[in-house]
């Protein structure tokens, strides 16, 4: 219901008409393969080697669905998260976000789609250290062209929603790990994205703090498509469905 408050308060920067039709999967990967080049080792010497991170991955996330991505370290979870967020283009296959194939876009177009439609939460928060909590949350709104006063209001409101009304002017270094991740969640939701992706969002937090952060993430992710990568059982327990990866392949899609 926190989510409802956020949306009904008229703060959304994405209009309903821009949203994906409810019947279609907001996130869909088809036969995605990704190879990282090792660049021939340090200093570019030696033979060029590649690492196959994803090997024919197909998966989708429905509207309002929270999908967990599980698998041992190196199984390809982060690569999937980055592909869905448009932060990397896989070697082959398609990555559809709200019916747009991200792999067919220019870098500039992909960035635009990401900024408008995807919220991203990283393991290590990725806050800008020189900016206050509020300025960090407002950052995506700067990129979205929201006027200054509206940005401040929206950022303050989001910080209040994540329980940090009294921390708006604090720097990240003045906040605990859990508080930093709350700021990161508020930032991820700033543009009211249709899709929320999180890569090991509780990886740096103690169990208790991790649970609080997850509760927040799921409450605020309601009505969105959420993809959460984790190898932590507590984290995966909040998912409606868990997709299991091994060596870059889906071995169980949880359906
Ligand atoms: P996970 O998140 O499940 O730990 P990743 O998606 O990070 O898995 O990694 C999948 C595979 O790709 C691993 O073998 C990893 O070593 C490799 N890999 C990840 N990122 C890079 C990179 N930037 N360059 C080369 N290899 C990478
Ligand atoms: Mg990872």
């Amino acid at each position: 219901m926190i989510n409802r408050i956020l949306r009904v308060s008229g703060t959304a920067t994405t209009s309903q008409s821009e949203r994906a039709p409810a019947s279609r999967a907001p996130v869909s990967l088809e036969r995605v393969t990704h190879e990282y080049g090792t660049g021939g080792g340090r200093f570019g010497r030696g033979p060029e080697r590649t690492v196959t991170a994803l090997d024919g991955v197909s998966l989708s996330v429905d509207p309002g669905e929270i999908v967990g991505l599980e698998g041992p370290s190196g199984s390809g979870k982060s690569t999937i998260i980055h592909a869905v967020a448009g932060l990397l283009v896989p070697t082959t296959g398609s990555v559809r976000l709200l019916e747009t194939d991200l792999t067919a876009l220019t870098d500039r177009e992909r960035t635009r789609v990401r900024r408008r439609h995807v919220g991203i939460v990283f393991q290590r928060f990725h806050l800008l250290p020189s900016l206050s909590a509020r300025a960090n949350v407002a950052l995506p709104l700067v990129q979205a062209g929201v006027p200054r006063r509206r940005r401040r209001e929206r950022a303050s409101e989001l910080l209040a929603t994540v329980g940090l009304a009294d921390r708006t002017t604090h720097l990240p270094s003045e906040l605990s790990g859990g508080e930093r991740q709350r700021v990161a969640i508020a930032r991820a939701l700033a543009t009211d994205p249709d899709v929320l992706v999180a890569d090991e969002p509780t990886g740096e937090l103690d169990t208790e703090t991790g649970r609080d952060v997850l509760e927040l993430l799921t409450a605020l992710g309601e009505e969105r498509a959420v993809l959460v990568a984790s190898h932590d059982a507590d984290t995966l327990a909040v998912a409606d469905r868990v997709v299991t990866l091994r060596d870059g392949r889906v071995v169980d899609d949880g359906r």
Side-chain angles (χ1 to χ4, degrees):
M1 77 266 93
I2 301 169
N3 191 48
R4 198 154 299 135
I5 295 164
L6 279 175
R7 290 211 161 155
V8 175
S9 60
T11 52
T13 55
T14 306
S15 69
Q16 285 300 327
S17 59
E18 285 179 6
R19 292 193 179 284
S23 58
R24 301 284 182 81
V27 176
S28 154
L29 277 72
E30 271 175 51
R31 294 187 294 279
V32 171
T33 295
H34 190 64
E35 290 179 357
Y36 289 102
T38 58
R42 263 183 108 190
F43 313 117
R45 293 198 208 107
E48 170 78 18
R49 281 182 295 124
T50 58
V51 176
T52 302
L54 300 178
D55 185 8
V57 167
S58 297
L59 63 86
S60 62
V61 185
D62 290 332
E65 192 179 32
I66 300 175
V67 171
L69 266 183
E70 157 191 70
S73 183
S75 59
K77 303 182 295 296
S78 294
T79 305
I80 291 176
I81 294 286
H82 284 81
V84 170
L87 293 169
L88 70 78
V89 179
T91 312
T92 63
S94 73
V95 180
R96 291 189 166 274
L97 198 104
L98 310 172
E99 293 303 297
T100 300
D101 185 352
L102 296 180
T103 65
L105 303 180
T106 63
D107 289 352
R108 186 192 287 251
E109 288 166 340
R110 200 165 38 252
T111 299
R112 190 169 158 273
V113 170
R114 176 176 62 249
R115 286 183 177 165
R116 184 171 294 196
H117 297 291
V118 188
I120 312 172
V121 176
F122 297 99
Q123 177 172 356
R124 289 168 205 268
F125 327 127
H126 288 210
L127 300 176
L128 291 186
S130 62
L131 296 184
S132 68
R134 184 168 57 201
N136 266 287
V137 174
L139 210 52
L141 300 173
V142 176
Q143 291 156 346
V146 175
R148 182 187 299 263
R149 192 189 326 180
R150 190 68 207 98
R151 291 200 302 261
R152 284 174 66 100
E153 285 169 8
R154 170 77 172 153
S156 297
E157 188 179 278
L158 281 157
L159 283 170
T161 306
V162 300
L164 296 176
D166 57 349
R167 295 283 189 278
T168 54
T169 60
H170 285 57
L171 294 172
S173 60
E174 297 167 332
L175 300 172
S176 70
E179 288 172 336
R180 287 181 207 185
Q181 197 59 306
R182 283 163 179 267
V183 173
I185 290 171
R187 178 186 55 188
L189 294 167
T191 60
D192 192 23
D194 302 84
V195 175
L196 191 58
V197 296
D199 195 2
E200 309 273 4
T202 62
E204 300 280 305
L205 308 175
D206 63 65
T207 311
E208 187 88 356
T209 310
R211 273 197 198 126
D212 291 346
V213 160
L214 275 176
E215 200 171 302
L216 198 60
L217 199 67
T218 50
L220 296 170
E222 210 181 287
E223 293 177 40
R224 301 171 212 271
V226 183
L227 188 59
V228 188
S230 181
H231 51 250
D232 167 54
D234 263 4
T235 304
L236 295 164
V238 304
D240 298 315
R241 180 160 66 86
V242 175
V243 173
T244 307
L245 294 167
R246 289 281 181 280
D247 300 327
R249 293 177 190 217
V250 174
V251 292
D252 182 355
D253 81 351
R255 286 194 194 272

